[in-house]
Each structure stands twice: as structure tokens, then as C-alpha cells.
Amino acid sequence: MATTEPQATGLQAEALQRLLEGRYADQRRRILDVLGEAEFSPSLAIPTDEYRQRVRQWMQRIADEGLTAPGFPKEFGGEDDPGANIAGFETIAYGDLSLLVKFGVQFGLWGGAIQQLGTRIHHERYLKPTATLELLGCFAMTETGDLLERESQLELFRWREGHITASIAQRFKRGLDEGYDPFEGFRAVQNHAVNAARAHTERVLLEAFTAAVEAYEEGPVKNALGRMCDLYALYAIEQDRGYLQEHGRLTGPRCKAVTREVNRLCDEVRGDAEALVDAFGIPDQVLRAPIGLRDPA
């Protein structure tokens, strides 16, 4: 098959570059000039501690050029321009990605939290030192509530029960207001009513289970009951994860974490299984089924 040379279209890279760089072209150029210096050459096959120190030095070099926090107020070393922060962050991504992460944490997450959530006192005390790297920051993120904590489990169960019940009440009332027969109105929401009854029962059971665990003396029995309580709560959450995710109470990664925890607890509870069954004290002559007997013979 014959090939042809590409036809010239007249597109000039410089013109497109001006469009892409936009009103932050000067700042982007300044950052790229710094990143192009010899000391910013790629770091290959060096120890982790040495690499961290090098990234710290790169950060300082950018800070010395006044390119770290243009989004801060002018009186604290910035330019009152959050867009410039974003442009700078984007441009640093052309270089070392570890530098990018440190830049984002120091001047975005840490510095931004001080700027947006702090008071005047915090601004005066911390913003400028943050921009110059005199003050090094850190930042951590997590979802609200640890589902391995009983109080978080209870809060989620109570929210679910309340949300489902309120939804049924609203739908039922709307049907009555529109003139529907009460029986037909209830029939239309009966599947939700079943879910509300289940959510109520599971909430009551978890509260009672939690109270029993907390009241028991420390030791193997309390530990075993605690594992069973967690397994009960997390399995119920796993079964309803679609509903909880739809309503913003669980994220995708958190749903996966719940499933992993259920599997881990099942493995741990396996060691307690015989004692948990025997604790009901049902005599073999009452059980009769071979699968439930200590000695099937």
C-alpha cells in the first residue's frame, strides 16, 4: 500500500502553546526554567533517605523563587490567586512526581487548610512560614467513623433505620394527600416497610449485643463475643452496601474494606465455632442430627 507524506496544516506549536498556557504562561515558564536546572536531573538508584532529602532541596529551590503559594493572600507572601496555585501544581507534574506530591501536601492540603479553616491568628503565624518552607506541614485524610468501632456501627444502623422510616412516611403521606386509598398506599410501600422492620430489628439487636459485650468482664468470653458482634454488624453492612453507597454513607473502597473485614472475622470466629455452638447447651439426644453431635458414632 502506498504511503504519503503528511500534509502541512500550518499549525504552529508556539501558537498552540500560548493557548494552552493561558494567563499563567509566565509562571509556568518560570517553574519550567527551575525544573530544567542541573540539580533537578532525575534521581535514579539512590537510597530512599537521600532521595527524600533531594526532593526537600528541590522544594526549597522553588520556594526561594517565590513560586510556592500564589494562592495565599498578598500580605502573607502570596498573590491572592488560587488559579496560579493550580497552574503551578500542574506544571510541576512535568518533572518529578515525588516533588509534585510534596508540593501538593505542603502548599495545597496543609497550607490551604490553614488559609481556609484558620483564623487571622493562624494566618499571621503560619502562612508565610509555610510558603517559605520554614514550617513544614503534613496532612492526613480518612472517612468519618471507623466501622471497627462499635459507636460508628451503631450510628450507621441508626441512620439507616431513620432514613428508611422517614422515606416510607413521606411516600405514604404523599399518597394520602393525593387521595389514594390507605390500603393501596401502604401496599405501594410494603417492600420499604419490610426493609424498615429489618433495619429496626438489626439496630435493636446490635444495641443489645454491644451492651452485653461491654458489660462482660475482660477475658476470652468477652473477646469472642466482641468478634461475633463485629461480624454481625459488618455482615449486615455488607448486605446493605448498595443502599449505603447510593446514599453517600459508604464509598467503593470502603465497601471492599468491609468485605475484607468480614472474611477476616469469619476466619477468626472459626476457631470459636465449636465452643459457640456448645454454649447453647443442647444435649446430643435432643439434637439427634449427626452433623451436630460431638461423637456421631
Side-chain angles (χ1 to χ4, degrees), residues 179-192:
Y180 286 94
D181 178 75
F183 176 79
E184 290 301 320
F186 182 78
R187 190 172 64 84
V189 300
Q190 62 181 334
N191 59 323
H192 293 282

Side-chain angles (χ1 to χ4, degrees), residues 68-82 85 106-108 110-116 126-132:
T68 52
F72 289 176
K74 289 182 178 179
E75 61 182 313
F76 302 120
E79 300 173 10
D80 282 317
D81 190 351
N85 257 32
Q106 175 72 13
F107 309 113
W110 165 260
I114 295 172
Q115 181 183 356
Q116 299 299 325
Y126 300 127
L127 282 183
K128 195 165 185 179
T130 294
T132 61

Side-chain angles (χ1 to χ4, degrees), residues 97-197:
L97 294 183
S98 291
L99 174 62
L100 175 71
V101 171
K102 278 191 173 293
F103 189 95
V105 170
Q106 175 72 13
F107 309 113
L109 296 176
W110 165 260
I114 295 172
Q115 181 183 356
Q116 299 299 325
L117 303 177
T119 65
R120 174 83 185 179
I121 293 175
H122 297 111
H123 294 169
E124 293 174 348
R125 184 176 299 172
Y126 300 127
L127 282 183
K128 195 165 185 179
T130 294
T132 61
L133 285 188
E134 294 174 49
L135 176 64
L136 292 176
C138 61
F139 198 88
M141 293 179 288
T142 186
E143 294 185 69
T144 302
D146 181 353
L147 289 179
L148 291 182
E149 296 177 3
R150 300 274 159 66
E151 192 54 42
S152 295
Q153 295 168 359
L154 285 167
E155 188 278 328
L156 191 58
F157 274 51
R158 289 164 182 156
W159 174 87
R160 180 185 58 165
E161 178 190 357
H163 193 275
I164 295 175
T165 302
S167 177
I168 294 171
Q170 290 170 2
R171 291 184 59 189
F172 188 63
K173 182 178 184 302
R174 184 166 61 247
L176 295 179
D177 291 345
E178 293 175 356
Y180 286 94
D181 178 75
F183 176 79
E184 290 301 320
F186 182 78
R187 190 172 64 84
V189 300
Q190 62 181 334
N191 59 323
H192 293 282
V194 171
N195 288 336

